[in-house]
């Protein structure tokens, strides 16, 4: 099966006109590509990225309001301190490795390493757990407490010779010849 152009287009489109159309299209594409290349080549390179920290309660997975997020270098130098009012905080920083520390009075402290890529957003979800309950008080035996009171300032119990007393007795025996 042969496909032919309609008669009207075939008579209007001569070889000279076709060559002119191809030449103009090639010229426009060439100029457009050159302008496009110049525009993108002269733009400054992107050197910053974004850190997005989402602070969540580890038990309920709900955002923790009023958490403090500190961004610092791996060596410990503080770069910025941010307040996550609704459990979310954003900060634009240069590309590189950072140390992120999340602090809240009702929760434990969480520390994470974060690597930020230029032109990208790094989303970090930090789950914080409540402080552990305090340990139960240690019961002290009354006998041990009474013994501690009997010790004198040198740290020896009364009526028992200390290490220095025993050493003195050994020295006496050596000199007396016993």
């Amino acid at each position: 099966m042969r496909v032919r152009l309609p008669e009207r287009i075939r008579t209007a489109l001569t070889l000279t006109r076709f060559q002119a159309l191809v030449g103009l299209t090639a010229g426009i594409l060439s100029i457009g590509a050159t302008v496009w290349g110049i525009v993108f080549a002269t733009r400054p390179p992107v050197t910053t990225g974004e850190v997005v920290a989402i602070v969540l309660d580890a038990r309920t997975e709900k955002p923790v309001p009023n958490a403090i997020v500190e961004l610092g270098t791996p060596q410990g130098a503080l770069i910025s301190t941010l307040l996550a009012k609704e459990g979310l905080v954003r900060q634009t920083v240069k590309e590189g490795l950072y140390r992120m520390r999340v602090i809240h009075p009702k929760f434990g402290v969480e520390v994470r390493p974060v690597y930020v890529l230029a032109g990208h957003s790094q989303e970090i979800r930090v789950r914080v757990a409540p402080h552990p309950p305090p340990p139960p008080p240690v019961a002290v035996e009354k006998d041990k407490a009474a013994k501690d009171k009997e010790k004198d300032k040198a740290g020896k119990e009364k009526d028992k010779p200390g290490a220095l007393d025993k050493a003195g007795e050994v020295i006496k025996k050596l000199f007396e010849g016993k």
Side-chain angles (χ1 to χ4, degrees):
M1 170 176 210
R2 219 170 171 205
V3 178
R4 297 186 123 211
L5 291 173
E7 187 67 31
R8 186 172 164 217
I9 294 175
R10 240 181 355 167
T11 57
L13 189 64
T14 63
L15 182 60
T16 312
R17 286 184 181 168
F18 180 72
Q19 286 177 335
L21 257 165
V22 169
L24 283 172
T25 304
I28 290 172
L29 287 174
S30 177
I31 291 170
T34 303
V35 169
W36 183 269
I38 290 172
V39 166
F40 281 101
T42 57
R43 284 189 355 188
V46 178
T47 60
T48 61
E50 183 180 43
V51 175
V52 179
I54 302 170
V55 184
L56 302 170
D57 186 336
R59 294 173 298 165
T60 63
E61 294 291 320
K62 291 183 179 178
V64 176
N66 300 323
I68 296 172
V69 178
E70 294 179 345
L71 277 176
T73 64
Q75 293 80 24
L78 186 63
I79 294 172
S80 66
T81 303
L82 308 161
L83 179 65
K85 290 185 180 179
E86 299 298 322
L88 177 82
V89 68
R90 294 176 182 272
Q91 179 69 29
T92 302
V93 291
K94 290 183 180 179
E95 180 176 5
L97 182 63
Y98 295 92
R99 191 178 119 250
M100 181 171 62
R101 186 172 146 194
V102 178
I103 306 166
H104 193 281
K106 295 180 182 176
F107 297 93
V109 176
E110 286 289 326
V111 179
R112 301 275 167 83
V114 179
Y115 191 83
V116 179
L117 294 172
H120 294 279
S121 181
Q122 194 73 345
E123 183 176 298
I124 310 295
R125 294 180 181 268
V126 181
R127 288 170 180 81
V128 290
H131 289 293
V138 178
V140 178
E141 297 176 12
K142 289 183 181 179
D143 293 337
K144 185 178 178 186
K147 285 182 182 179
D148 288 343
K149 286 183 182 179
E150 288 180 10
K151 289 185 179 180
D152 65 1
K153 291 181 183 178
K156 62 179 181 176
E157 293 182 18
K158 288 185 178 178
D159 301 329
K160 288 189 178 179
L164 291 176
D165 294 335
K166 288 180 184 176
E169 289 175 16
V170 170
I171 293 172
K172 279 183 187 177
K173 286 179 184 177
L174 285 174
F175 284 110
E176 291 174 0
K178 292 183 179 178

